[in-house]
Amino acid sequence: MKLGKQSNIQMGLKVYSPWKITIKDNTVINNSVVIDGRGSIEIGSNVNISPYVQIYTAEHEVNSPFFDYSSDKVIINDYAWVSTRSIVLPGVNIGEGAVITAGAVVTKDVPPYHIVGGVPAKKIGERSKDLQYTLNYRKFMH
């Protein structure tokens, strides 16, 4: 796994194929997260992945007579916030500054700065484009 500067991974992370995962700077992966790198994952800078999130890049084809396996890359861009117990499915691109609300199931791309929620996730709002923070959970971990 490629891990950027000042990024923080908390306990209980479950990872598949870590060599296909890139996490950039100042990103936080909270506790009990599942990251499936089989189809590859790119996570940008200043991204917050909240507890119990599941990010999948591989699945079986529902209508395949042979239960065929497929995989597709997931991209989570800078300043995105993937909230507690949400699920991101294969092939999804989460735009810069986008917010995935708690419990959402993301089946399609999320445009930059959109707030999405529900099952399947749909737009419910927009986020400010004036994001200037730098995540650094290490300063809180005394």
Side-chain angles (χ1 to χ4, degrees), residues 5-80:
K5 294 177 184 173
Q6 299 300 317
S7 286
N8 185 293
I9 297 176
Q10 297 190 8
M11 295 183 350
L13 176 68
K14 181 180 262 188
V15 179
Y16 308 121
S17 301
W19 54 90
K20 293 183 175 183
I21 299 170
T22 300
I23 301 170
K24 294 186 179 173
D25 300 338
N26 304 304
T27 286
V28 176
I29 310 292
N30 280 275
N31 63 296
S32 305
V33 169
V34 174
I35 300 179
D36 170 13
R38 292 175 290 173
S40 82
I41 296 178
E42 288 181 16
I43 300 175
S45 296
N46 294 298
V47 172
N48 182 68
I49 308 290
S50 297
Y52 305 103
V53 165
Q54 299 173 35
I55 303 168
Y56 292 105
T57 63
E59 60 190 345
H60 290 277
E61 299 295 330
V62 174
N63 290 315
S64 166
F66 302 105
F67 202 52
D68 289 333
Y69 167 89
S70 67
S71 64
D72 201 357
K73 183 178 199 168
V74 168
I75 299 171
I76 302 175
N77 288 281
D78 297 349
Y79 291 105

